[in-house]
Amino acid sequence: MKIRRANVRDAAALARLLKTFDWFPHLQAETFVSTRKRVARDLKALNADDSHSIYIALQGRQVVGYATVHWQPYFILSAPEGYVGELFVSEKVRGKGIGTELLAAVKKEATKRGCSRLMLLNRRNRESYKRKFYAKNGWTERKDMANFLFMLEK
Ligand SMILES: CC(C)(COP(=O)(O)OP(=O)(O)OC[C@H]1O[C@@H](n2cnc3c(N)ncnc32)[C@H](O)[C@@H]1OP(=O)(O)O)[C@@H](O)C(=O)NCCC(=O)NCCS
């Protein structure tokens, strides 16, 4: 298993992994070609500057996991925060250390960048939350925070 930064040439392999997730009905509804094109467009945008990092875990040519992180400076923090937007491992290979390794790559880069902390959201009804994946990896839950969304018409 190899972990490296993703580029636009990884769009098809990433789209193949995304199509295996049954949590997101809109992903299931779109064709493989649409997913690949969307992922390619997003990878291009994300890699256009130094504000984001996309890591993929590869087994041969197959992408079996990925993590996205957005590096965010804050006026109220002494050093930037890394926001882990997505962390997913293929259902077939969960529990084999891949998620932990992807997080380790993110932590390594965060340290190199001089960040003050990492942040992410984890639904309480997910198995990862119930099995304390992040707590076991040293993350602290912020029980005093509420998470708000403002939905825009689309
Ligand atoms: C959560 C996730 C990224 C962890 O990656 P992983 O490679 O499976 O995890 P690792 O092998 O590195 O670590 C093992 C730990 O992961 C968690 N884990 C293992 N299998 C899991 C599964 N099928 N589903 C959810 N969490 C799992 C457990 O906490 C486990 O520790 P335990 O065996 O002591 O209970 C991965 O299971 C996954 O993609 N789950 C579904 C998506 C998700 O919940 N993502 C996080 C949203 S923020």
Side-chain angles (χ1 to χ4, degrees):
M1 206 262 303
K2 183 181 163 186
I3 289 182
R4 65 160 168 81
R5 294 277 292 271
N7 61 62
V8 77
R9 289 184 299 280
D10 299 309
L14 252 170
R16 237 168 262 129
L17 173 64
L18 289 167
K19 294 295 275 178
T20 67
F21 299 151
D22 52 11
W23 287 355
F24 310 104
H26 60 277
L27 265 178
Q28 297 305 317
E30 73 185 1
T31 64
F32 172 76
V33 172
S34 303
T35 306
R36 175 175 53 75
K37 282 186 181 163
R38 203 167 46 74
V39 171
R41 181 201 64 200
D42 290 348
L43 276 170
K44 208 172 157 196
L46 289 161
N47 284 336
D49 67 25
D50 203 25
S51 309
H52 318 273
S53 303
I54 317 304
Y55 285 95
I56 50 175
L58 288 150
Q59 277 182 350
R61 288 191 181 170
Q62 212 185 342
V63 172
V64 292
Y66 73 96
T68 66
V69 54
H70 312 286
W71 307 106
Q72 308 193 135
Y74 279 89
F75 293 131
I76 54 165
L77 293 180
S78 56
E81 174 183 272
Y83 170 54
V84 180
E86 297 174 48
L87 174 68
F88 287 99
V89 170
S90 164
E91 201 168 349
K92 288 187 219 151
V93 292
R94 285 183 195 158
K96 294 181 189 298
I98 297 171
T100 302
E101 277 200 51
L102 282 164
L103 277 184
V106 171
K107 283 181 202 160
K108 192 172 167 192
E109 184 174 352
T111 304
K112 208 166 140 195
R113 284 172 173 260
C115 289
S116 55
R117 66 189 190 191
L118 293 169
M119 192 269 282
L120 60 76
L121 295 165
N122 187 202
R123 280 187 201 273
R124 290 203 173 91
N125 65 357
R126 298 285 194 227
E127 205 179 326
S128 48
Y129 181 82
K130 291 179 189 157
R131 288 172 66 164
K132 303 187 181 359
F133 174 69
Y134 294 107
K136 284 182 200 161
N137 272 289
W139 293 64
T140 309
E141 185 176 350
R142 288 201 290 192
K143 301 225 172 180
D144 61 329
M145 299 289 269
N147 177 225
F148 289 92
L149 287 178
F150 183 86
M151 300 307 286
L152 296 163
E153 277 183 34
K154 201 174 170 292

